[in-house]
């Protein structure tokens, strides 16, 4: 021993600097010396007097003898270095190491130089990967969730180097309370104490991890604030640390995975990854279990819904003949089954509940045995009374059921109500007779053909339609179908042979050669679920076709009248919504068809809607409205006079569904009537004017003379007033004479600008007195016009005077000339109070004037002068915004 310790000082300095754990051992495995990195493995310093007496004390007992044997063999032969993988125990945990031992002899005594390589993390990773693979295989194999979780708990406890206790908690469906606790190596009392606890922010490490959805590492339970009550329970069991990880499925927490430790401790990075991996594995297993439960529940629900939808009685029994399940039809037949726990009862036990059905149950039990022994279905017919006390006949059939391994594991009992079937059998012959009668005496043509299209039967009506006789022996309809329709008929027959009924129209050729229009329905003939041919039902619609052709022609005629009528036609609903308009309506009113369709009749002005309402009321009562004269609005905002006739529109049942409005533009007629009326007025006024002027003029002269004579005897103000009024009477008489006497008109070519310039000085004095400024803007050069200069001046003076009088507070008159569409235009605009639209329409009528003392004859004379010159006057005005007068003269007229 002393010699072994006599290692050179240089060697001691060297091995202390080596960056790996290194120890020198004697032949007994006792520690001679170690470098500082070895201290952690030996849990002792080199100069310490305590520690393991031999290196073998730190090797796991299971592998201690194996390691000692290998090292002893090396010492005896001073062989080449050896490498051993084993488990190392120290500091209360197990680590995986690789020992590299070199054997040397020093002063005749053998010793070992051993270096250690920590393999714990590598081994753990390999073990964890293997465990993960094993768990995934279990999940794929659909092993039970409880079995998978128990295996996982046990495996993780074995894989980690520390002494750990695994706990897996699962939440209930609400995700708020602990439902399941799996901890194989923790006391059951501890696991059970966690059940039904509601998770929260301070409910232990596991409850908190689930509540927060995050890892909760409690390295020292005694010092943790997370639930003193739960911590005290763990401390009582000697558990001082808990690492909890939430189990999540699509961000939904379903539980927690936790590891408890005997000593306060924090996880290494690998240990934390291990716990999180286990939590993920549990999540996968839980998700797979949930999906399977949902699939099984959905399959059971669908299966139950399927058997409940069956009209037959259905009962499932186990291999011992005990009832497991039944459908709604069975409960309806035996209502008491819906109120008792029938599951698990045998036929014999059920006879006590249904003594009236004892005989049936005993027969069924015998048939159960027969089905079991023979492996084939056993049948029996039995009569039962339903809830309405009606006698019904059932065909009961017991069928043996086999499991996946081929072993019999139950009986299926099906009770089918065959009452109607028996009745059908009794009435089959009667039905055949009825069918034959229907076939032979049906007014429609009926035929049948096989799958190849060959005629197998043909009733008398069909023969008559085609002009055939029984002895003709018709084999196919093709020769009697118009050539253009043969392919169509064959296509429909093929579709009927595929199971889809067909209805179509075709044309047959009578034996005598004339066409016969037919409406045919082909129906597949199905015998024992197989289509074996086609029925054909043919109706002669030749007469109907003639009527349809007449209707078509009538429709085309009406459509032609509608679209090509010169008068606007509108089709309206009863709510006056436009359904359609013709081309004439589009041209007259300006709306395109697509613009007007769907609008409340846009041609009706706002003030005429009540009128339209009265029309609708008449139409709804079935009356027509003929020749209603009114006005309608065009798209550009202008108005026209129309005469409209409204007629009700009816559907095929005679119900009134709308109205047709036929309009006629009567604007020209209205203008003609207005001109005629004005001409008649002028004629009457002319005749009246001639007589009045003649009778009044002489007395007026006398009166004026006497007033002048007595001027000195009468107050001056009264004389002036009388003379002013007499002058006014003379003016009216003069205007009457202008209307009454036709004067010779002398037309010469004149420049309108020159006439305006000569007229303005005449009116300027009156304008200045009324604070009115006249601004002239005359086009130069401008074409000459043929006119009577004095009469044109008369027109201009009248217009200027009206403009001045329209501006009592002064203003500006703008007068301009221009050439517009080969006409010379004079435009006079004032800033006066304007004229309403209603009054503009009446301008030029005799005795109608806006002025307090006006007679209306001035404008009437102006209109007459312009008419003599082939021109016209137009007025545009807005109340409060002044008036514009446009005077048009033809060029060279």
């Amino acid at each position: 021993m002393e010699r072994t310790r006599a290692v050179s000082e240089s060697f001691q300095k060297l091995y202390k600097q080596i960056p790996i754990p290194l120890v020198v051992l004697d032949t007994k495995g006792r520690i001679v010396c170690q470098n500082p990195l070895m201290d952690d493995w030996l849990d002792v310093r080199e100069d310490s007097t305590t520690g393991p007496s031999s290196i073998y004390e730190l090797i796991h007992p299971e592998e201690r003898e194996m390691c000692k044997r290998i090292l002893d063999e090396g010492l005896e032969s001073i062989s080449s270095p050896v490498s051993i993988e084993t488990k190392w125990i120290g500091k209360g945990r197990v680590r995986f190491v690789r020992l590299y031992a070199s054997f040397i002899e020093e002063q005749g005594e053998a010793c070992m130089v051993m270096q250690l390589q920590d393999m714990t993390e590598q081994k753990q990773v390999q073990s964890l990967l293997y465990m993960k693979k094993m768990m995934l295989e279990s999940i794929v194999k659909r092993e039970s969730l409880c079995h998978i979780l128990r295996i996982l708990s046990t495996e993780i406890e074995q894989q980690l180097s520390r002494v750990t206790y695994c706990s897996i908690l699962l939440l209930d469906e609400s995700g708020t309370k602990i439902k399941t606790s799996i901890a194989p190596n923790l006391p059951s009392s501890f696991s059970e104490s966690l059940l039904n606890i509601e998770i929260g922010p301070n409910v232990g490490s596991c409850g908190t991890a689930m509540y927060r959805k995050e890892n909760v590492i409690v390295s020292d339970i005694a010092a943790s604030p997370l639930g003193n009550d739960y911590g005290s329970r763990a401390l009582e069991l000697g558990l001082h640390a808990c690492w909890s990880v939430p189990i999540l499925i699509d961000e939904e927490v379903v539980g927690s995975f936790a590891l408890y430790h005997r000593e306060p401790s924090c996880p290494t990075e690998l240990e934390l990854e291990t716990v999180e991996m286990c939590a993920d594995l549990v999540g996968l297993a839980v998700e797979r279990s949930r999906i399977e439960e949902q699939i099984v529940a959905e399959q059971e629900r669908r299966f139950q819904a399927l058997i409940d939808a069956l009209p037959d009685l259905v009962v499932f029994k186990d291999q011992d003949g005990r009832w497991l399940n039944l459908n709604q039809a069975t409960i309806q037949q035996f209502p008491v089954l819906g109120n008792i726990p029938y599951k698990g009862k045998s036929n014999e036990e059920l006879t006590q509940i249904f003594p009236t059905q004892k005989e049936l149950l005993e027969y069924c039990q015998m048939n159960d045995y027969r089905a079991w022994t023979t492996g084939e279905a056993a049948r029996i017919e039995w009569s039962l009374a339903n809830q309405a006390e009606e006698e019904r006949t059932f065909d009961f059939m017991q069928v043996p059921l086999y499991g996946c391994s081929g072993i019999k594991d139950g009986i299926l009992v099906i009770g089918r109500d065959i009452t109607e079937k028996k009745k059908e059998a009794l009435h089959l012959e009667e039905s055949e007779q009825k069918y034959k009668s229907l076939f032979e005496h049906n007014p429609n043509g009926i035929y049948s053909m096989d799958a190849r299209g060959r005629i197998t039967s043909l009733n008398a009506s069909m023969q008559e339609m085609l002009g055939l006789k029984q002895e003709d022996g018709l084999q196919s309809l093709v020769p009697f179908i118009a050539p253009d329709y043969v392919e169509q008929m064959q296509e429909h027959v093929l579709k009927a042979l595929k199971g889809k009924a067909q209805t179509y129209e075709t044309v047959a050729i009578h034996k005598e050669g004339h066409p016969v229009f037919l409406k045919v329905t082909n129906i597949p003939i199905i015998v024992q679920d197989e289509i074996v041919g086609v029925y054909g039902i043919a109706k002669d619609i030749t007469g109907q076709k003639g009527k349809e052709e007449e209707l078509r022609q009538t429709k085309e005629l009406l459509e032609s009248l509608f679209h090509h009528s010169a008068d606007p036609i509108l089709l309206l609903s009863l709510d006056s919504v436009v359904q359609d308009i013709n081309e004439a309506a589009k041209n007259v009113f300006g709306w395109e068809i697509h613009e007007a369709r769907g609008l409340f009749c846009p041609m009706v002005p706002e003030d005429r809607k009540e009128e339209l309402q009265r029309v609708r009321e008449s139409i709804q009562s079935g009356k027509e409205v003929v020749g209603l004269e009114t006005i309608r609005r065009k798209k550009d905002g202008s108005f026209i006079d129309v005469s409209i006739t409204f007629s009700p529109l009816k559907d095929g049942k005679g119900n009134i569904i709308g109205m047709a409005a036929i309009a006629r533009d009567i604007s020209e007629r209205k203008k003609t009537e207005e001109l005629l009326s004005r001409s008649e007025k002028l004629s009457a006024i002319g005749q009246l004017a001639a007589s009045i002027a003649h009778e009044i003029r002489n007395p007026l002269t006398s009166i004026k003379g006497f007033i002048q004579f007595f001027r000195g005897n009468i107050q001056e103000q009264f004389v002036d007033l009388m003379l002013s009024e007499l002058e006014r009477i003379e003016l009216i008489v003069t205007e009457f004479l202008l209307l009454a006497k036709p004067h010779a008109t002398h037309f010469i070519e004149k420049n309108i600008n020159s006439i305006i310039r000569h007229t303005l000085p005449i009116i300027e004095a009156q304008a200045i007195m009324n604070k009115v400024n006249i601004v002239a803007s005359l086009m130069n050069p401008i074409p000459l016009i043929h006119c009577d200069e004095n009469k044109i001046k008369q027109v201009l003076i009248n217009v200027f005077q009206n403009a001045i009088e329209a501006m009592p507070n002064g203003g500006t008159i703008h007068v301009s000339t221009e050439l517009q569409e080969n006409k010379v235009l004079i435009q006079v605009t004032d800033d006066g109070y304007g004229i309403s639209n209603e009054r503009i329409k009446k301008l030029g009528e005799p005795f109608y004037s806006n002025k307090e003392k006006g007679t209306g004859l001035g404008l009437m004379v102006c209109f007459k002068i312009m008419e003599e010159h082939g021109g016209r006057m137009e007025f545009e005005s807005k109340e409060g915004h002044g008036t514009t007068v446009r005077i048009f003269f033809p060029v060279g007229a």
Side-chain angles (χ1 to χ4, degrees):
M1 181 70 175
E2 294 299 327
R3 288 195 300 246
T4 305
R5 291 184 178 275
V7 181
S8 66
E9 292 183 3
S10 61
F11 176 74
Q12 290 182 12
K13 291 181 180 179
L14 178 64
Y15 84 82
K16 286 184 179 181
Q17 296 175 2
I18 295 175
I20 58 176
L22 193 67
V23 63
V24 178
L25 306 171
D26 64 10
T27 56
K28 302 296 186 181
R30 291 173 295 196
I31 301 169
V32 177
C33 61
Q34 79 267 11
N35 68 351
L37 293 177
M38 193 66 190
D39 292 347
D40 181 62
W41 289 86
L42 300 177
D43 198 16
V44 65
R45 296 191 307 278
E46 184 178 19
D47 58 354
S48 177
T49 57
T50 62
S53 60
S54 169
I55 197 73
Y56 297 118
E57 294 179 14
L58 297 174
I59 295 177
H60 198 280
E62 295 177 355
E63 301 180 356
R64 190 174 294 162
E65 289 300 323
M66 180 270 295
C67 290
K68 189 174 184 304
R69 176 177 54 79
I70 294 173
L71 294 175
D72 286 345
E73 290 175 355
L75 286 169
E76 289 177 2
S77 60
I78 310 297
S79 63
S80 57
V82 297
S83 174
I84 305 172
E85 286 190 6
T86 186
K87 295 179 182 176
W88 189 274
I89 55 176
K91 291 189 175 182
R93 58 179 180 155
V94 178
R95 287 183 282 184
F96 294 90
V97 297
R98 177 174 285 134
L99 305 177
Y100 295 95
S102 299
F103 308 100
I104 60 176
E105 189 173 353
E106 183 71 25
Q107 296 180 359
E109 186 175 340
C111 64
M112 293 180 284
V113 178
M114 183 180 292
Q115 64 183 46
L116 277 70
Q117 180 182 357
D118 191 347
M119 303 289 292
T120 304
E121 186 170 325
Q122 180 179 343
K123 284 290 186 181
Q124 284 182 343
V125 170
Q126 292 174 352
S127 299
L128 290 173
L129 290 175
Y130 174 76
M131 184 187 71
K132 181 177 181 181
K133 178 176 177 292
M134 183 177 66
M135 291 298 101
L136 291 174
E137 287 177 350
S138 298
I139 293 172
V140 172
K141 290 177 181 178
R142 297 185 177 179
E143 295 181 3
S144 71
L145 178 63
C146 183
H147 173 74
I148 292 173
L149 299 186
R150 287 188 177 276
I151 294 296
L152 178 60
S153 301
T154 305
E155 286 291 328
I156 195 64
E157 290 176 353
Q158 294 176 356
Q159 296 296 336
L160 295 178
S161 59
R162 305 174 193 255
V163 177
T164 61
Y165 300 93
C166 180
S167 172
I168 300 174
L169 302 179
L170 298 179
L171 297 177
D172 60 8
E173 290 77 5
S174 68
T176 58
K177 291 184 178 181
I178 298 172
K179 176 183 179 183
T180 305
S181 174
I182 296 176
N185 294 314
L186 287 175
S188 60
S189 59
F190 178 74
S191 298
E192 291 171 359
S193 68
L194 301 177
L195 298 179
N196 297 319
I197 291 176
E198 187 168 349
I199 64 175
N202 294 297
V203 184
S205 60
C206 295
T208 304
M210 290 186 281
Y211 181 80
R212 294 179 182 172
K213 296 185 180 180
E214 61 183 27
N215 298 349
V216 174
I217 307 300
V218 178
S219 59
D220 188 352
I221 293 176
S224 172
L226 298 178
N228 294 331
D229 184 34
Y230 307 107
S232 61
R233 296 181 196 174
L235 291 172
E236 289 173 3
L237 299 174
L239 306 175
H240 291 273
C242 182
W243 311 335
S244 300
V245 175
I247 302 170
L248 301 174
I249 300 177
D250 294 334
E251 301 301 324
E252 175 192 359
V253 63
V254 298
S256 69
F257 186 92
L259 292 180
Y260 288 91
H261 303 273
R262 290 290 185 187
E263 301 294 335
S265 59
C266 289
T268 64
E269 184 177 348
L270 176 62
E271 287 172 331
L272 184 57
E273 290 178 359
T274 300
V275 178
E276 290 176 344
M277 180 195 75
C278 291
D280 290 340
L281 288 173
V282 175
L284 286 174
V286 171
E287 185 175 18
R288 190 270 303 167
S289 178
R290 282 185 174 183
I291 292 172
E292 284 193 348
E293 288 175 0
Q294 291 173 357
I295 291 173
V296 170
E298 179 62 17
Q299 288 175 341
E300 289 179 353
R301 185 192 67 78
R302 290 183 179 183
F303 180 73
Q304 188 64 46
L306 175 63
I307 64 173
D308 283 343
L310 295 174
D312 301 333
L313 312 184
V314 178
V315 178
F316 287 93
K317 299 180 181 179
D318 62 15
Q319 61 270 28
D320 297 322
R322 298 185 179 277
W323 288 38
L324 299 176
N325 196 12
L326 47 80
N327 68 343
Q328 285 297 317
T330 306
I331 294 176
Q332 289 173 4
Q333 182 64 37
F334 305 104
V336 70
L337 287 173
N339 303 317
I340 64 167
Y342 61 85
K343 293 185 178 181
K345 296 187 183 299
S346 64
N347 282 11
E348 186 176 353
E349 291 171 323
L350 288 173
T351 56
Q352 300 174 11
I353 301 173
F354 304 112
T356 57
Q357 304 300 333
K358 179 179 180 181
E359 188 176 2
L360 170 62
L361 291 170
E362 289 177 349
Y363 266 108
C364 286
Q365 190 165 349
M366 291 171 56
N367 274 355
D368 289 349
Y369 177 75
R370 186 179 300 114
W372 271 120
T373 55
T374 63
E376 297 178 354
R379 309 183 76 153
I380 182 176
E381 285 189 9
W382 203 267
S383 294
L384 295 171
N386 60 15
Q387 295 183 24
E389 299 300 325
E390 296 175 342
E391 192 77 12
R392 310 294 293 180
T393 302
F394 286 85
D395 177 16
F396 286 99
M397 180 171 60
Q398 280 104 315
V399 182
L401 301 177
Y402 297 87
C404 297
S405 59
I407 300 174
K408 299 172 185 174
D409 62 357
I411 290 285
L412 169 62
V413 181
I414 301 175
R416 176 161 294 176
D417 188 344
I418 59 172
T419 306
E420 301 303 324
K421 182 178 179 181
K422 284 187 166 291
K423 289 180 180 178
E424 288 174 4
L426 293 174
H427 296 299
L428 179 59
E429 184 177 354
E430 180 182 350
S431 297
E432 289 179 351
Q433 290 297 325
K434 288 180 179 178
Y435 167 76
K436 185 176 180 180
S437 176
L438 177 65
F439 182 83
E440 293 295 337
H441 303 292
N442 198 306
N444 291 326
I446 300 178
Y447 60 90
S448 61
M449 59 177 68
D450 61 19
R452 296 184 178 181
R454 293 177 299 191
I455 297 296
T456 56
S457 61
L458 200 71
N459 73 348
S461 297
M462 192 69 197
Q463 293 174 16
E464 183 179 349
M465 286 180 190
L466 301 178
L468 301 174
K469 297 180 179 179
Q470 186 68 35
E471 56 268 21
D472 289 338
L474 183 64
Q475 296 295 314
S476 172
L477 281 179
V478 173
F480 289 89
I481 301 297
D484 292 342
Y485 291 85
V486 170
E487 185 176 350
Q488 175 212 43
M489 183 200 75
Q490 291 173 337
E491 288 179 359
H492 286 296
V493 170
L494 288 173
K495 289 180 181 179
L497 285 169
K498 292 180 180 179
K500 188 174 182 180
Q502 301 289 304
T503 298
Y504 56 97
E505 292 183 4
T506 188
V507 179
I509 304 300
H510 192 274
K511 190 176 181 179
E512 295 180 356
H514 60 266
V516 180
F517 292 90
L518 300 176
K519 184 175 183 179
V520 180
T521 299
N522 289 142
I523 304 170
I525 302 172
I526 303 175
V527 177
Q528 296 180 352
D529 297 330
E530 183 181 353
I531 299 174
V532 297
V534 171
Y535 280 123
I537 303 171
K539 181 178 181 181
D540 189 345
I541 58 171
T542 305
Q544 178 183 334
K545 280 292 181 181
K547 293 179 181 178
E548 289 178 357
E549 180 61 22
E550 291 178 5
L551 288 174
R552 185 188 64 77
Q553 292 177 359
T554 302
K555 180 175 178 293
E556 289 179 355
L557 176 61
L558 291 175
E559 287 180 349
S560 178
L561 288 173
F562 175 78
H563 290 295
H564 299 99
S565 172
D567 292 329
I569 302 177
L570 295 85
L571 302 181
L572 309 174
S573 68
L574 288 176
D575 296 328
S576 301
V577 175
V578 177
Q579 305 299 314
D580 201 2
I581 64 174
N582 68 349
E583 191 71 17
K586 183 190 81 171
N587 295 334
V588 170
F589 297 112
W591 274 278
E592 295 292 337
I593 296 172
H594 68 275
E595 293 176 334
R597 187 175 289 131
L599 298 178
F600 181 89
C601 194
M603 301 83 176
V604 179
E606 193 66 31
D607 59 349
R608 299 301 173 108
K609 288 187 177 179
E610 290 186 6
E611 172 189 274
L612 184 61
Q613 176 62 30
R614 292 192 295 272
V615 170
R616 285 207 308 252
E617 291 171 358
S618 297
I619 291 297
Q620 287 176 325
S621 65
K623 299 177 182 177
E624 287 188 342
V625 177
V626 180
L628 173 66
E629 292 192 3
T630 182
I631 61 171
R632 286 292 180 261
R633 183 171 64 90
K634 298 170 72 171
K635 186 179 179 181
D636 61 8
S638 62
F639 296 89
I640 60 171
D641 294 289
V642 291
S643 172
I644 308 177
T645 296
F646 293 90
S647 303
L649 296 176
K650 299 180 180 180
D651 61 14
K653 297 180 180 179
N655 299 318
I656 297 174
I657 59 172
M659 53 185 168
I662 303 174
R664 177 161 293 176
D665 186 351
I666 59 172
S667 300
E668 293 301 324
R669 193 191 81 188
K670 283 287 186 180
K671 289 180 181 177
T672 302
E673 290 175 351
E674 184 179 347
L675 289 174
L676 182 60
S677 173
R678 180 173 293 181
S679 176
E680 290 174 350
K681 287 180 181 179
L682 286 173
S683 176
I685 289 170
Q687 294 175 9
L688 178 63
S691 59
I692 290 175
H694 180 73
E695 296 296 333
I696 291 177
R697 194 169 238 179
N698 291 334
L700 280 178
T701 303
S702 300
I703 293 171
K704 285 179 69 176
F706 279 111
I707 290 173
Q708 293 286 358
F709 181 77
F710 291 106
R711 190 180 189 99
N713 301 323
I714 305 173
Q715 293 183 19
E716 189 66 26
Q717 59 183 3
F718 295 132
V719 172
D720 291 340
L721 178 61
M722 285 186 291
L723 290 174
S724 173
E725 291 302 312
L726 287 172
E727 288 174 358
R728 173 172 166 74
I729 294 172
E730 282 185 329
L731 176 63
I732 295 172
V733 170
T734 302
E735 289 178 345
F736 273 158
L737 289 175
L738 287 173
L739 293 173
K741 286 184 179 181
H743 296 276
T745 304
H746 303 284
F747 288 96
I748 59 175
E749 283 191 345
K750 297 292 293 184
N751 187 307
I752 193 63
N753 292 345
S754 177
I755 296 175
I756 293 173
R757 291 190 187 98
H758 291 157
T759 306
L760 288 177
I762 300 173
I763 204 70
E764 277 180 355
Q766 183 181 353
I768 292 170
M769 290 175 61
N770 288 276
K771 301 178 182 179
V772 174
N773 184 30
I774 301 176
V775 178
S777 176
L778 307 179
M779 177 182 176
N780 192 22
I782 193 166
L784 301 178
I785 62 171
H786 286 80
C787 66
D788 184 327
E789 181 177 357
N790 291 328
K791 288 190 176 183
I792 298 304
K793 286 181 180 180
Q794 184 178 351
V795 171
L796 292 172
I797 290 170
N798 188 283
V799 171
F800 286 138
Q801 284 180 337
N802 287 341
I804 292 169
E805 291 172 1
M807 296 184 290
N809 298 320
T812 302
I813 298 174
H814 294 272
V815 57
S816 64
T817 58
E818 62 181 275
L819 185 65
Q820 190 179 95
E821 297 180 357
N822 203 32
K823 291 184 183 296
V824 173
L825 167 63
I826 304 173
Q827 185 165 288
V828 180
T829 302
D830 63 55
D831 301 330
Y833 42 71
I835 310 171
S836 67
N837 289 333
E838 293 298 322
R839 290 188 173 186
I840 286 177
K841 296 177 182 178
K842 296 182 178 181
L843 292 179
E845 292 184 5
F847 308 113
Y848 179 83
S849 175
N850 290 332
K851 293 178 287 187
E852 182 180 352
K853 295 183 179 182
T855 63
L857 297 176
L859 275 180
M860 185 176 175
V861 170
C862 290
F863 274 109
K864 184 176 181 182
I865 292 172
M866 291 308 300
E867 184 179 346
E868 292 173 353
H869 283 73
R872 70 179 188 276
M873 295 179 68
E874 292 180 356
F875 293 83
E876 181 181 335
S877 183
K878 188 175 181 181
E879 288 185 287
H881 293 80
T883 303
T884 297
V885 181
R886 296 184 182 88
I887 306 171
F888 294 88
F889 293 94
V891 175

